[in-house]
């Protein structure tokens, strides 16, 4: 017994030591992970008891180290155990927001898509199931399954989504749960949603499954129009969707008319006269073909025989003429709105061509004007970008200007370190101009009154003895002419020719606009003048005693002493320097020495 007890205790101690080694290895691995990724956290580990102090487990009992902790969740697969997050936690993490912005939330637009699909199921299939013999006792359970699935979507829309929609009251966006719920309960939308879910299905037990009892489900039309507005707001080419929607209106009117024609044929008796449907072939396709010929008034239809057929046909003709004319007018409006910009561009070009022909402008100039119109329209989609932004508030124009131009302007060395708000004011003053190939952006000797920023394309700086050698090629993002903005007097003339190499889109900032801005930012004005002077010095421009061109760009040059006055001074010097001229000459020398 003593030997067996000793062997049992040694076996337990050996297994315990192996367990301690395994725990230390796991701890070392976790420490490595924490060193590699500082975001990885682990629970504090309690100190491990010594083997002597640890209680001996009973034979056959499971060691504590082999038991998974109660806080962790494990799932067993084959012979292994994996840590797994409970599905309830995953479900809790996927929660709807407490409030939904109906104008910008894409999840709400997606939900409206499902609601509209359920609404279309009712609008398209209820007439078919009522008129045509497609709903039979053999497949009735499939129809009911989809019907009640659509009802569930309606119910979720009322209980979950509509009560979470934000609204504006007194200029404030209301996100309070109670206020949002009360706003929905007071709205017309809630009344229509409740009306469309009237439980008329209970009459199935008395009259049978009649699809017409589900007709109130078609009253959820407000969700359809809301979905149209939200979808058009996020689509880049909304006019395509408008064309598809208008076509769907026409197809639906033909669909309803085909259902009515089959019902009228069944009422009169299939094949009873030459006017009714004879019961051959696919019933829906044949009736739809008849509806198309009737509503579009193609003609070639058999003459109605009975009074019922005559009245039905007359109503069809009147309805067809009215509906088809409405559809044609709506399609014209959709296509006209889609091509409004193109129409405006064509009218502007036609007016310009008419003007040039009236004044007999040379053909080469006319071709360049036409080229400018075509390139500007195809590159920008409009002739003048300012016309697009003129209706927006000043803050929105600034936001758009920051997104479009800030990255370019902020890289200009002259403006780095200036007041950020001053740069924002400059962005709103930038004007976009398109130059054709070989157009002169600026010429040598011109007075510089603007700065240029290349948005797209390239320009070439020409110089040399002949003035045609390419000194440098500037690409998109480059800036030139910025020193001219701070020039004074007559020293701000262009020193080289700049020509567009291909089509070039440039932003222009005029000097008068910058001066109006700098009035409100005196510190930035001082900084800009200092930077301009440093940039001129770095360019190593020649200077002389009387002030070179570099200084003249910052300060206006002094007028040169007249030659006649110089001769008088020289004569006074020869006389001996006495008198008024001599004293004046001595004073000028003294001022020159001080300078």
């Amino acid at each position: 017994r003593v030997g067996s007890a000793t062997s049992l205790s040694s076996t337990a101690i050996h297994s315990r030591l192996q367990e301690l080694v395994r725990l230390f290895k796991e701890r070392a691995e976790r420490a490595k992970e924490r060193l590699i990724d500082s975001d990885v956290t682990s629970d504090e580990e309690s100190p491990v008891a010594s083997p002597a102090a640890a209680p001996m487990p009973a034979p056959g009992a499971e060691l504590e180290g082999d038991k998974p902790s109660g806080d962790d969740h494990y799932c067993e697969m084959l012979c292994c155990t994996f840590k797994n997050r409970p599905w309830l936690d995953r479900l809790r993490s996927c929660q709807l927001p407490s409030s939904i912005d109906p104008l910008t939330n894409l999840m709400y637009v997606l939900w409206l898509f499902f609601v509209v699909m359920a609404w279309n199921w009712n609008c398209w299939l209820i007439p078919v199931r009522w008129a045509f013999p497609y709903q039979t006792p053999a497949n009735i359970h499939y129809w009911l399954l989809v019907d009640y699935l659509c009802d569930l979507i309606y119910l979720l829309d009322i209980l979950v989504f509509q009560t979470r929609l934000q609204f504006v009251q007194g200029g404030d966006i209301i996100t309070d749960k109670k206020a949002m719920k009360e706003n929905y309960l007071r709205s017309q939308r809630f009344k229509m949603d409740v009306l469309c879910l009237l439980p008329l299905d209970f009459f199935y037990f008395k009259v049978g499954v009649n699809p017409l009892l589900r007709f109130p489900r078609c009253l959820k039309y407000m969700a359809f129009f809301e979905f149209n507005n939200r979808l058009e707001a996020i689509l880049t080419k909304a006019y395509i969707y408008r064309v598809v929607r208008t076509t769907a209106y026409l197809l639906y009117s033909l669909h309803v008319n085909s259902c009515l024609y089959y019902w009228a044929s069944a009422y009169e008796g299939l094949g009873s006269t030459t006017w009714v449907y004879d019961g051959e072939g696919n019933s829906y396709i044949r009736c739809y073909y008849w509806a198309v010929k009737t509503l579009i008034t193609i003609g070639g239809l058999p003459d109605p025989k009975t009074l019922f057929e005559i009245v039905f046909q007359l109503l069809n003709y009147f309805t067809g003429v009215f509906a088809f004319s409405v559809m044609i007018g709506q399609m014209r409006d959709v296509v006209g709105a889609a091509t409004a910009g193109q129409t405006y561009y064509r009218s502007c070009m036609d007016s310009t061509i008419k003007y040039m022909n009236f004044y007999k402008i040379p053909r080469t100039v006319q071709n360049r004007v036409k080229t400018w119109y075509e390139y500007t329209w195809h590159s920008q989609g409009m002739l003048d970008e300012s016309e697009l932004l003129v209706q927006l508030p000043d803050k929105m124009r600034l936001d758009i200007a920051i997104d479009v131009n800030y990255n370019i302007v902020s890289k200009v060395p002259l403006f780095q370190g200036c007041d950020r708000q001053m740069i924002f004011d400059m962005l709103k003053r930038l004007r976009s101009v398109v130059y054709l190939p070989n157009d002169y952006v600026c010429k040598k000797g011109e007075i510089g009154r603007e700065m240029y920023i290349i948005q797209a394309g390239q320009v070439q700086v020409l110089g040399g003895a002949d003035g045609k050698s390419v000194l440098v090629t500037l690409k998109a993002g480059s800036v030139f002419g910025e020193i001219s903005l701070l020039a004074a007097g007559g020293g701000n003339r262009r020193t080289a020719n700049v020509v567009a190499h291909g089509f070039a889109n440039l932003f222009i900032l005029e000097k008068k606009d910058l001066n109006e801005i700098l009035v409100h930012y005196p510190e930035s004005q001082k900084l800009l003048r200092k930077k301009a002077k440093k940039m001129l010095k770095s360019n190593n421009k020649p200077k002389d005693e009387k002030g070179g061109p570099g200084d003249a760009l910052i300060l206006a040059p002094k007028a040169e002493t007249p030659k006649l006055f110089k001769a008088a001074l020289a004569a006074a010097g020869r006389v001996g320097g006495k008198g008024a001229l001599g004293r004046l000459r001595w004073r000028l020398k003294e001022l020159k020495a001080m300078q």
Side-chain angles (χ1 to χ4, degrees):
R1 284 183 181 177
V2 175
S4 62
T6 305
S7 63
L8 183 62
S9 63
S10 63
T11 303
I13 292 173
H14 182 69
S15 62
R16 183 60 180 171
L17 288 175
Q18 289 182 345
E19 176 64 20
L20 289 175
V21 171
R22 186 180 65 83
L23 291 175
F24 279 124
K25 284 184 178 179
E26 291 178 356
R27 186 173 181 179
E29 292 293 331
R30 285 194 291 271
K32 274 185 186 177
E33 292 177 359
R34 286 198 301 271
L35 290 175
I36 295 174
D37 188 0
S38 59
D39 294 332
V40 176
T41 58
S42 61
D43 299 334
E44 283 292 328
E45 299 172 1
S46 58
V48 181
S50 61
M56 291 295 178
E62 185 181 4
L63 296 176
E64 293 180 0
D66 296 334
K67 295 180 182 179
S69 61
D71 296 337
D72 296 334
H73 302 272
Y74 292 83
C75 64
E76 295 183 359
M77 184 179 296
L78 298 178
C79 61
C80 303
T81 302
F82 301 95
K83 180 178 278 191
N84 183 32
R85 187 179 178 185
W87 65 274
L88 285 176
D89 290 349
R90 290 201 195 99
L91 190 61
R92 291 192 192 99
S93 64
C94 300
Q95 292 182 353
L96 287 172
S98 59
S99 64
I100 300 174
D101 185 2
L103 301 178
T104 59
N105 195 311
L106 295 181
M107 181 189 66
Y108 180 65
V109 178
L110 180 62
W111 171 252
L112 284 178
F113 170 76
F114 290 109
V115 176
V116 170
M117 291 297 293
W119 178 76
N120 275 281
W121 167 270
N122 292 312
C123 290
W124 286 78
L125 273 300
I126 287 176
V128 172
R129 293 160 60 186
W130 165 71
F132 292 90
Y134 292 150
Q135 179 177 296
T136 61
N139 60 15
I140 188 64
H141 53 283
Y142 295 112
W143 293 103
L144 294 179
L145 176 63
V146 182
D147 285 345
Y148 293 128
L149 180 61
C150 295
D151 292 349
L152 178 62
I153 294 176
Y154 280 16
L155 190 62
L156 289 176
D157 183 59
I158 295 175
L159 299 178
V160 179
F161 285 88
Q162 295 301 320
T163 57
R164 298 171 184 261
L165 294 184
Q166 302 173 4
F167 66 98
V168 179
Q169 185 177 20
D172 297 329
I173 300 177
I174 306 301
T175 58
D176 181 67
K177 291 183 179 180
K178 185 178 179 181
M180 290 187 295
K181 186 180 297 184
E182 292 177 354
N183 178 69
Y184 172 61
L185 294 178
R186 292 193 304 265
S187 64
Q188 183 70 20
R189 177 77 172 268
F190 173 72
K191 299 175 184 177
M192 297 302 297
D193 289 347
V194 172
L195 186 62
C196 73
L197 280 179
L198 284 177
L200 300 180
D201 302 38
F202 289 108
F203 288 100
Y204 287 171
F205 297 104
K206 187 174 182 180
V207 299
V209 182
N210 189 345
L212 285 181
L213 293 175
R214 292 187 55 82
F215 181 76
R217 305 296 189 271
C218 300
L219 298 178
K220 203 174 177 63
Y221 60 89
M222 299 179 72
F224 172 70
F225 290 112
E226 183 182 7
F227 174 72
N228 290 334
N229 295 333
R230 302 290 175 263
L231 188 62
E232 290 179 6
I234 63 177
L235 292 177
T236 56
K237 295 183 178 181
Y239 65 88
I240 297 178
Y241 174 71
R242 297 190 190 107
V243 171
V244 174
R245 186 182 63 204
T246 306
T247 306
Y249 290 159
L250 178 61
L251 296 179
Y252 182 73
S253 61
L254 296 173
H255 168 79
V256 174
N257 195 31
S258 64
C259 295
L260 292 175
Y261 174 66
Y262 186 87
W263 169 79
S265 300
Y267 178 79
E268 287 285 295
L270 298 179
S272 59
T273 63
T274 57
W275 181 83
V276 299
Y277 169 60
D278 56 5
E280 297 181 0
N282 188 294
S283 57
Y284 182 77
I285 297 299
R286 294 291 185 92
C287 293
Y288 201 91
Y289 173 73
W290 182 91
V292 170
K293 295 180 68 177
T294 303
L295 284 184
I296 305 181
T297 62
I298 296 177
L301 295 172
D303 296 330
K305 304 298 182 183
T306 65
L307 178 63
F308 175 80
E309 294 175 357
I310 293 174
V311 173
F312 187 89
Q313 187 71 354
L314 286 175
L315 293 176
N316 246 318
Y317 279 140
F318 290 143
T319 306
V321 171
F322 175 75
F324 194 69
S325 61
V326 169
M327 297 300 172
I328 293 297
Q330 189 170 6
M331 187 69 73
R332 182 203 61 190
D333 294 340
V334 170
V335 175
T339 59
Q342 186 77 17
T343 304
Y344 173 72
Y345 156 69
R346 286 295 175 190
S347 64
C348 290
M349 177 175 267
D350 293 342
S351 300
T352 305
I353 293 175
K354 183 178 179 180
Y355 173 84
M356 292 188 295
N357 290 334
F358 179 79
Y359 285 100
K360 298 180 181 180
I361 304 298
R363 184 62 57 183
T364 55
V365 177
Q366 292 192 25
N367 292 336
R368 293 183 65 81
V369 172
K370 294 177 184 178
T371 304
W372 181 88
Y373 266 104
E374 292 178 1
Y375 176 78
T376 304
W377 173 256
H378 290 296
S379 62
Q380 300 180 170
M382 62 191 71
L383 297 178
D384 189 2
E385 293 181 350
S386 61
E387 294 181 358
L388 177 67
L389 306 177
V390 69
Q391 299 178 353
L392 296 178
D394 188 69
K395 180 63 172 64
M396 291 186 180
R397 288 203 302 270
L398 176 60
D399 293 340
I400 295 176
I402 290 173
D403 292 334
V404 176
N405 307 327
Y406 182 74
N407 289 335
I408 298 177
V409 176
S410 61
K411 295 177 182 177
V412 179
L414 185 64
F415 299 130
Q416 290 179 359
C418 293
D419 195 309
R420 189 182 182 87
Q421 188 61 41
M422 188 209 77
I423 297 180
F424 289 166
D425 291 343
M426 284 174 46
L427 295 178
K428 294 186 292 184
R429 304 295 184 97
L430 291 179
R431 182 167 51 89
S432 178
V433 178
V434 175
Y435 288 90
L436 302 183
N438 301 321
D439 273 356
Y440 278 90
V441 180
C442 57
K443 291 186 178 181
K444 184 177 180 179
E446 286 183 345
I447 303 299
R449 298 186 180 90
E450 56 273 316
M451 177 191 76
Y452 300 92
I453 303 174
I454 304 177
Q455 180 190 14
Q458 299 178 358
V459 298
Q460 293 179 339
V461 180
L462 305 182
D466 55 353
K468 297 182 179 180
S469 302
V470 178
L471 302 180
V472 66
T473 300
L474 303 178
K475 300 182 179 180
S478 301
V479 179
F480 60 95
E482 64 270 26
I483 305 300
S484 298
L485 296 179
L486 301 173
N492 55 341
R493 295 183 180 273
R494 306 292 187 185
T495 59
N497 296 327
V498 180
V499 179
H501 181 63
F503 293 95
N505 291 45
L506 305 182
F507 286 123
I508 294 179
L509 176 63
E510 296 185 356
K511 182 177 180 179
K512 62 177 183 179
D513 294 333
L514 181 63
N515 291 337
E516 292 175 1
I517 295 172
L518 290 179
V519 170
H520 306 286
Y521 304 95
E523 297 297 329
S524 298
Q525 185 177 15
K526 295 177 182 178
L527 179 62
L528 287 177
R529 292 190 180 278
K530 290 180 181 179
K531 284 194 173 186
K533 191 171 183 179
K534 290 181 181 179
M535 293 174 68
L536 288 172
K537 289 182 179 179
S538 64
N539 290 336
N540 296 323
K541 292 191 176 181
K543 299 179 182 180
D544 53 23
E545 295 180 358
K546 299 175 184 177
D551 292 333
L553 287 172
I554 305 303
L555 299 174
K558 295 181 179 180
E560 188 178 358
T561 305
K563 294 182 179 180
L564 182 60
F565 191 59
K566 286 183 179 180
L569 291 177
R574 285 195 294 267
V575 170
K578 296 180 181 180
L581 290 178
R583 288 194 300 273
L584 182 58
R585 184 182 180 189
W586 175 83
R587 182 59 179 168
L588 289 175
K589 284 184 178 181
E590 184 180 8
L591 289 174
K592 186 176 181 181
M594 291 174 64
Q595 290 178 355

